[in-house]
Amino acid sequence: MKLSEHFGWKVKLGIFLVFLSALLYLANYLIFHDLHEVLFYIGIDTAFLPIEILFVVLVIENAISSREKKQMMEKLNMVIGAFFSEVGTNLLAAITKFDPDAENIKDDLLINVNWSEKDFKKAKKTIQAFEYTLDIKDDQESIQFLMNAKKFLVDERKFLLALLENPNLLEHESFTDLLWAVFHLMEELESRNDLQKLPKSDYNHLSGDVVRIYSILIVEWLQYMEHLMNNYPYLFSLAVRTNPFDKQAHVEITQ
C-alpha cells in the first residue's frame, strides 16, 4: 500500500498549501532579491496567524454551524410532522379520553389560528407543571383501548423504526424519549396474549407506561403546533381543526 493512501484529503491539501506558500516566498526572493523583506513578511504573516485562526473558528465556523443546525432542525421538524400525522395525533386523542383531569388543562390547549408565541408559552408552562394521571383499569373501555393501541402500534412498527433510524434525532432528546416510550408500550402490549385477563397490578403498570407517553406527547405536540404556526400556516389550520383536546373540532370549514 502506498504511503499517500494513509493520508486523508485534508492532510494532503495542507501539505500542498504549505509547499505552495514556500514556493511563492521563494519566487518573491528570486524576483526582488531582498531576503530581509521576505523574512519580514513571513514574520508579519506568522504573527497575524492566531488572529486568522480566531476569526475562522469563532466567526466563520460558528456561522456555518448555525446554518447547518437550522437546516438539520428543519429536517427534524419534518420527521416530527410525519410522526404526528401517522401516529401522534391519533394516539393523543385516544389517550386523552382516559385523563380524568383533562378539563383542567383543556382551555390551555384549545389552540386557534389567533394564537401567538405568548399563548404557547403560557400553555407550555401549564402542562409542564401538570400532574398526569390516567384512569386505565380492568373495565371494558380500558381493555378495548389497550387492544386498539396494540394493533395500531404494531401496524405502525415499520414506520416508527424508520423514524428511529434518522440520525438527526440525536439532536432532539425529548422526541427520542417519546419514540422509545411508544416502543416500550408496544412491546409490553405485544408480549401479552390476552389483554382481557390481567391482574389489577398489571393494568396499573400499563397505565404507567401510557402516562409516560402522554406526558411527553403533549409537550411535543405543543412545540410542533407552534412550529406549524410560525412556518406553515396552512398545515397549522388543519392541525387546529383536528385538535384532540377540542371536542367541537371538525375538519370541515363551516365559516
Side-chain angles (χ1 to χ4, degrees):
M1 183 179 291
K2 295 181 180 180
L3 183 64
S4 60
E5 294 179 3
H6 289 282
F7 297 101
W9 68 269
K10 292 183 179 179
V11 175
K12 294 177 182 178
L13 178 61
I15 294 173
F16 170 74
L17 291 176
V18 171
F19 177 76
L20 181 61
S21 179
L23 190 63
L24 290 174
Y25 278 120
L26 178 61
N28 183 287
Y29 171 72
L30 293 175
I31 294 173
F32 298 104
H33 302 286
D34 191 340
L35 181 61
H36 177 270
E37 184 178 0
V38 172
L39 293 176
F40 172 76
Y41 280 109
I42 290 176
I44 291 295
D45 291 342
T46 303
F48 192 70
L49 188 59
I51 298 177
E52 290 180 329
I53 294 174
L54 178 69
F55 179 76
V56 170
V57 172
L58 296 185
V59 180
I60 297 179
E61 186 174 340
N62 184 61
I64 294 174
S65 297
S66 297
R67 182 181 178 184
E68 289 178 346
K69 186 174 182 179
K70 183 178 179 181
Q71 292 175 340
M72 181 190 62
M73 290 305 297
E74 184 63 30
K75 293 178 181 177
L76 182 55
N77 282 321
M78 292 175 65
V79 173
I80 295 174
F83 168 78
F84 277 103
S85 295
E86 294 293 325
V87 177
T89 302
N90 291 333
L91 193 58
L92 188 58
I95 296 175
T96 304
K97 296 176 182 178
F98 293 90
D99 184 358
D101 300 316
E103 291 296 322
N104 297 331
I105 59 173
K106 185 185 71 173
D107 291 341
D108 293 284
L109 297 173
L110 294 179
I111 302 171
N112 60 61
V113 293
N114 297 317
W115 267 41
S116 64
E117 291 185 9
K118 183 178 179 181
D119 295 311
F120 277 101
K121 186 176 181 180
K122 178 184 175 184
K124 289 177 186 177
K125 184 176 180 181
T126 299
I127 64 171
Q128 286 173 347
F130 189 67
E131 298 244 347
Y132 296 96
T133 57
L134 294 176
D135 192 18
I136 297 177
K137 49 192 178 183
D138 56 346
D139 60 12
Q140 192 56 42
E141 186 178 8
S142 298
I143 293 172
Q144 189 61 50
F145 162 73
L146 294 175
M147 293 172 64
N148 291 342
K150 177 180 178 179
K151 184 179 184 308
F152 177 65
L153 294 177
V154 170
D155 289 344
E156 296 290 347
R157 185 199 301 274
K158 290 184 179 180
F159 171 74
L160 293 170
L161 282 171
L163 294 185
L164 277 178
E165 292 173 357
N166 192 310
N168 293 326
L169 286 183
L170 296 174
E171 298 295 326
H172 202 312
E173 186 176 346
S174 59
F175 185 67
T176 303
D177 290 342
L178 173 59
L179 286 181
W180 281 121
V182 171
F183 265 104
H184 177 71
L185 177 63
M186 177 177 63
E187 291 173 353
E188 288 275 9
L189 295 175
E190 196 175 15
S191 299
R192 290 163 172 79
N193 295 323
D194 191 352
L195 292 171
Q196 302 185 64
K197 298 178 181 179
L198 300 176
K200 182 178 180 181
S201 57
D202 206 29
Y203 284 115
N204 291 337
H205 175 79
L206 292 174
S207 179
D209 290 334
V210 179
V211 167
R212 183 185 300 111
I213 294 173
Y214 188 48
S215 60
I216 307 174
L217 188 57
I218 293 183
V219 176
E220 292 298 317
W221 177 75
L222 258 182
Q223 292 181 168
Y224 171 63
M225 292 291 283
E226 185 174 12
H227 169 72
L228 292 184
M229 181 193 72
N230 292 329
N231 298 278
Y232 303 99
Y234 56 97
L235 293 178
F236 179 61
S237 172
L238 176 60
V240 167
R241 286 181 275 120
T242 54
N243 186 339
F245 293 95
D246 187 356
K247 295 180 180 179
Q248 307 300 321
H250 46 80
V251 70
E252 298 85 359
I253 298 175
T254 57
Q255 60 179 3

